[in-house]
């Protein structure tokens, strides 16, 4: 057991080092980070104003919005019957909540692009062993197939965690400068419970299905092939998680009674989607392990 | 001790690489020679646990290669240098050897460092240890391959064409290194360079078409060719086509040929003392039916 853990630890260390030197993971993290900063600074702020205060008087709601040009706009509306208006908004710093949700909403197209980048760029991890002709050396070592696959996947996860965490600091700092204060606790939870798991699942699947190929070109094809499914699923995730949570005044919006409950609801609605991805990762892992065993025979 | 009984390997498509090999290999240097396609690499890949035989049994120091546990245990005492050696170009020599040592199960970092420093010294690469492997020459890469095979002080060392790509000085150094290590372990050396076998092995097998056609000491193979190797000088014309030309040397008075076969048409032919290469060629020609013992 100690030997196996040591082998996996060694693989993580040296595979991550090689990936760092090949720049692949740096490119993915940089692509994601720059894309998010550009997206935040252009699309969202140019099209959305910021709600900075909400007052409720019976069924009348008055919202004060700062337009992208800085103008303050006051609007009073009547809550339609059957609509779950988020009454918890009156007790919180609405501007901060608005900034935070705008930031998190921006992550959704970013996550789809991140998933696509992982699938296109990380399928080569196992085929590179064939290209470098080190596969025989690895097979001649007392290293189990499960430990080999674990080492490969975990090394990518380590690299992505470091790269995306560094990117997260830059993205949040950039949002803070552009938007104003954001809820760091909610953003951190979103990062740990949504973004990293999706990056892990996408990269894990990419590394494992890439193992079916023996050349980088074939691996790239295998990685690109499921992209339409991923994009479709990403859009589904966008509709499901965002529409239900961010469009507060919607008949389908959950009736949360506090900001904490609303935040938890946002995370959990993503979490259910992430769980299905994790199930796919486990299935791919088992299938690939089986394929490698059959190949060894 | 390596024991192989009735080992057969048939690849998909029906290509039979091994047909019923029986071998017992003890401690020391064991040479494996044969032409391309003889089945040497297939046999060594089975012994290294990389391939499973179609039929037959193989045991490496008591570990049954038919079982997953047996293969795992056999790999733990194995050093392997494949014919087509690849290295990670983005690692330096020290990092690569450290990675391989970890995969071989050497957990203790100090012990890994000690072994790596020692092996880098043995293959004369200490000064280049921090250079990326992509900057290495072919010979340097080969030496790193040899060093990784020796990590963990393996009881069984399988080396496939280890001296290809090495200059003459490196070849001699490597042969000596293997000979030094053969004292208390089994080393299986597969090569096309018969001289490597003659200089270092006390036991050898010759393979052809998936079968062992000779098994014994190098001196036995040499003895078989005794009386069949001749030196003839033949002016500018090539000798009779029925003769097997082993080598030719351009002299001032013509060309001197080293040949095998019926030299009755050459009254000036002089009997020569055979080498291991002569013995190997004699065996191959005899097996092929192109040369009848005189």
């Amino acid at each position: 057991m100690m030997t196996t853990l040591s082998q996996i630890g060694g693989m993580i260390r040296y595979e991550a080092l090689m990936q760092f030197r090949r720049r692949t993971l740096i490119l993915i993290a940089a692509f994601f980070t720059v894309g998010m900063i550009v997206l935040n600074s252009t699309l969202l702020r140019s099209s959305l104003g910021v709600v900075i205060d909400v007052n409720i008087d019976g069924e009348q709601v008055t919202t004060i919005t700062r337009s992208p040009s800085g103008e303050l706009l006051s609007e009073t509306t009547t809550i339609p019957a059957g609509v779950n208006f988020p009454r918890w908004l009156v007790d919180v710093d609405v501007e901060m909540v608005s900034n935070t949700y705008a930031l998190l909403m921006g992550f959704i197209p970013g996550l789809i692009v991140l998933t696509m980048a992982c699938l296109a760029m990380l399928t080569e991890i196992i085929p590179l062993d064939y290209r470098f002709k080190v596969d025989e050396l690895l097979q001649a070592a007392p290293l189990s197939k499960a430990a080999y696959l674990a080492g490969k996947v975990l090394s990518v996860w380590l690299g992505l965690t470091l790269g995306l965490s560094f990117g997260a600091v830059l993205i949040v700092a950039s949002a803070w400068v552009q938007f104003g204060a954001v809820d760091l606790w909610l953003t951190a939870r979103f990062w740990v419970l949504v973004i990293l798991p999706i990056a892990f699942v996408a990269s894990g699947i990419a590394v494992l299905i890439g193992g079916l190929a023996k050349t980088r070109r074939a691996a790239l094809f295998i990685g690109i092939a499921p992209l339409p499914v991923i994009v479709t699923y990403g859009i589904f995730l966008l509709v499901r998680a965002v529409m239900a949570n961010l469009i507060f005044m919607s008949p389908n919006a959950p009736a949360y009674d506090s900001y904490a409950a609303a935040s938890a609801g946002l995370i959990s609605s993503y979490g259910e989607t992430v769980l299905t991805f994790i199930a796919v990762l486990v299935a791919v892992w088992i299938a690939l392990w089986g394929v490698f065993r059959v190949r060894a025979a | 001790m390596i024991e192989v009984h009735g080992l057969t390997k048939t690849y998909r498509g029906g290509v039979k690489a091994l047909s019923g090999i029986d071998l017992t290999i003890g401690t020391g240097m064991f040479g494996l020679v044969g032409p391309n396609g003889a089945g040497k690499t297939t046999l060594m890949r089975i012994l290294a646990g990389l391939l499973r035989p179609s039929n037959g049994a193989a045991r490496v120091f008591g570990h049954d290669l038919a079982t997953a546990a047996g293969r795992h245990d056999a790999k733990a005492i194995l050093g392997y240098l494949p014919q087509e050696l690849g290295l990670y170009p983005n690692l330096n020599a020290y990092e690569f050897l450290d990675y391989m040592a970890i995969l071989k199960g050497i957990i203790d970092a100090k012990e890994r460092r000690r072994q790596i420093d020692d092996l880098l010294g043995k293959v004369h690469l200490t000064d280049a240890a921090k250079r990326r492997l992509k900057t290495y020459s072919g010979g340097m890469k080969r030496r790193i391959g040899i060093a990784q095979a020796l990590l963990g002080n393996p009881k069984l060392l399988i080396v496939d064409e280890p001296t290809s790509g090495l200059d003459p000085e490196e070849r001699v150094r490597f042969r000596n290194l293997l000979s030094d290590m053969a004292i208390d372990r089994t080393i299986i050396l597969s090569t096309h360079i018969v001289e490597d076998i003659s200089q270092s092995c006390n036991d050898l097998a010759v393979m052809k078409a998936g079968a062992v056609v000779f098994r014994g000491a190098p001196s036995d193979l040499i003895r078989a060719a005794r009386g069949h190797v001749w030196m003839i000088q033949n002016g500018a014309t090539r000798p009779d086509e029925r003769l097997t030309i082993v080598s030719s040397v351009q002299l001032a008075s013509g060309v001197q040929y080293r040949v095998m076969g019926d030299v009755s048409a050459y009254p000036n032919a002089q009997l020569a003392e055979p080498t291991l290469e002569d013995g190997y060629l004699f065996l191959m020609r005899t097996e092929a039916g192109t040369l009848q013992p005189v």
Side-chain angles (χ1 to χ4, degrees):
Chain A
M1 188 63 184
M2 274 303 292
T3 304
T4 303
L5 289 176
S6 167
Q7 288 172 324
I8 293 173
M11 282 194 78
I12 293 170
R13 177 176 156 200
Y14 281 112
E15 290 287 334
L17 177 65
M18 284 189 277
Q19 285 153 28
F20 173 75
R21 287 178 180 168
R22 283 198 296 269
R23 312 273 190 272
T24 311
L25 292 176
I26 295 176
L27 274 176
I28 291 174
F31 187 52
F32 177 68
T33 304
V34 172
M36 285 303 305
I37 291 173
V38 171
L39 187 71
N40 284 341
S41 64
T42 56
L43 297 177
L44 295 175
R45 303 308 283 180
S46 62
S47 58
L48 299 174
V50 183
V51 178
I52 60 171
D53 201 5
V54 175
N55 293 302
I56 300 178
D57 181 12
E59 294 304 306
Q60 298 290 304
V61 179
T62 303
T63 55
I64 300 171
T65 306
R66 189 193 300 124
S67 71
S69 62
E71 188 183 0
L72 295 180
L73 304 171
S74 175
E75 187 181 4
T76 302
T77 54
T78 304
I79 301 171
V83 168
N84 293 319
F85 184 80
R87 293 177 187 277
W88 49 265
L89 276 173
V90 297
D91 299 323
V92 297
D93 180 347
V94 177
E95 185 169 8
M96 186 197 71
V97 172
S98 184
N99 289 341
T100 307
Y101 273 49
L103 175 66
L104 300 190
M105 193 169 72
F107 277 130
I108 292 163
L111 276 174
I112 294 170
V113 173
L114 177 67
T115 304
M116 291 166 71
C118 284
L119 282 166
M121 296 175 73
L122 294 177
T123 47
E124 65 171 20
I125 299 290
I126 291 176
L128 276 177
D129 284 347
Y130 298 110
R131 186 184 166 219
F132 294 145
K133 293 178 179 161
V134 289
D135 52 306
E136 281 207 8
L137 289 184
L138 298 175
Q139 288 170 36
L143 175 73
S144 70
K145 295 286 175 249
Y148 173 77
L149 292 177
K152 289 285 182 187
V153 171
L154 292 173
S155 67
V156 170
W157 287 1
L158 173 68
L160 274 180
T161 302
L162 295 176
L164 293 180
S165 299
F166 182 68
V169 172
L170 294 181
I171 292 166
V172 172
S174 151
W176 201 290
V177 170
Q178 294 172 62
F179 304 167
V182 295
D183 184 345
L184 290 178
W185 174 233
L186 176 59
T187 306
R189 275 193 295 162
F190 190 82
W191 195 264
V192 171
L193 298 174
V194 178
I195 293 180
L196 284 184
I198 287 180
F200 286 175
V201 171
S203 58
I205 289 174
V207 171
L208 293 173
I209 62 173
L212 292 170
K214 289 208 169 182
T215 65
R216 292 174 88 181
R217 185 179 294 180
L220 180 66
F221 178 76
I222 289 174
I224 289 174
L227 282 183
V229 178
I230 299 292
V231 171
T232 307
Y233 206 54
I235 291 168
F236 166 74
L237 185 146
L238 176 79
V239 170
R240 188 174 182 280
V242 177
M243 298 303 280
N245 288 280
L246 299 187
I247 310 300
F248 303 140
M249 294 177 66
S250 153
N252 297 320
Y256 298 117
D257 56 7
S258 69
Y259 173 58
S263 302
L266 175 69
I267 301 281
S268 71
S269 62
Y270 277 98
E272 289 168 18
T273 311
V274 172
L275 276 178
T276 61
F277 272 110
I278 291 172
V280 172
L281 175 66
V282 172
V284 169
W285 187 300
I286 292 168
L288 257 292
W289 180 77
V291 167
F292 284 151
R293 282 189 70 87
V294 169
R295 269 188 191 169
Chain B
M1 173 82 80
I2 317 286
E3 295 162 287
V4 168
H5 297 293
L7 207 64
T8 301
K9 178 66 185 178
T10 306
Y11 287 107
R12 261 176 274 176
V15 178
K16 199 164 195 175
L18 298 178
S19 44
I21 300 269
D22 290 302
L23 268 179
T24 303
I25 304 170
T27 306
M29 287 274 281
F30 180 81
L32 198 57
V33 283
N36 287 330
K40 306 186 300 290
T41 297
T42 299
L43 175 60
M44 291 204 294
R45 294 190 79 217
I46 289 173
L47 293 178
L50 304 178
L51 267 182
R52 294 194 203 161
S54 306
N55 276 305
R59 297 181 80 84
V60 171
F61 288 92
H63 303 300
D64 185 358
L65 297 183
T67 67
R71 281 192 300 278
H72 183 274
D73 292 344
K75 285 176 183 179
I77 54 167
L78 167 73
Y80 180 58
L81 177 63
Q83 189 173 2
E84 274 200 79
L85 172 72
L87 306 170
Y88 288 116
N90 288 318
L91 294 182
N92 65 39
Y94 191 92
E95 290 164 344
F96 178 74
L97 291 178
D98 190 48
Y99 187 16
M100 289 299 123
I102 293 169
L103 295 184
K104 283 188 170 191
I106 307 171
I107 296 175
D108 184 53
K110 277 185 188 167
E111 175 59 18
R112 284 203 305 271
R113 180 181 287 270
R114 190 193 65 72
Q115 286 196 25
I116 292 166
D117 288 342
D118 181 43
L119 288 169
L120 283 170
K122 278 182 175 165
V123 297
H124 296 267
L125 284 173
T126 303
D127 292 341
K130 298 296 178 187
R131 267 173 55 192
R132 298 269 177 96
L133 293 171
K134 63 183 170 191
T135 66
Y136 273 32
S137 67
M140 291 167 86
K141 286 178 181 171
R142 207 73 202 158
R143 282 187 272 161
I144 281 296
I146 292 160
Q148 68 77 30
L150 296 173
L151 280 167
N153 204 17
K155 284 172 79 177
L156 169 63
L157 193 58
I158 296 178
V159 286
D160 200 354
E161 302 290 346
T163 55
S164 64
L166 297 184
D167 62 41
E169 198 182 349
E170 285 173 330
R171 262 179 56 198
V172 171
R173 196 185 299 135
F174 177 64
R175 279 203 311 249
N176 293 338
L177 179 63
L178 284 185
S179 297
D180 291 345
M181 298 200 68
I183 294 167
D184 54 354
R185 77 193 75 219
T186 298
I187 299 178
I188 302 177
L189 168 67
S190 163
T191 182
H192 288 101
I193 305 168
V194 178
E195 191 191 345
D196 283 347
I197 302 273
S198 67
Q199 297 291 329
S200 52
C201 297
N202 52 6
D203 192 8
L204 72 96
V206 180
M207 290 184 69
K208 189 176 181 185
V212 174
V213 293
F214 174 85
R215 173 67 203 279
S219 56
D220 296 334
L221 195 55
I222 293 170
R223 194 176 306 122
R226 194 158 285 147
H228 303 290
V229 184
W230 303 85
M231 302 296 283
I232 59 172
Q233 206 163 325
N234 206 34
T237 53
R238 283 181 73 82
D240 192 325
E241 282 182 358
R242 287 170 296 179
L243 291 175
T244 299
I245 300 172
V246 178
S247 63
S248 60
V249 179
Q250 186 77 45
L251 302 174
S253 54
V255 182
Q256 188 179 56
Y257 293 95
R258 185 180 182 89
V259 297
M260 284 183 204
D262 182 2
V263 291
S264 52
Y266 300 89
N268 63 343
Q270 292 181 324
L271 198 60
E273 181 59 24
T275 64
L276 187 63
E277 190 173 47
D278 296 328
Y280 170 75
L281 285 173
F282 180 75
L283 179 73
M284 286 293 118
R285 297 300 181 274
T286 309
E287 281 290 316
T290 57
L291 184 70
Q292 295 302 316
V294 179

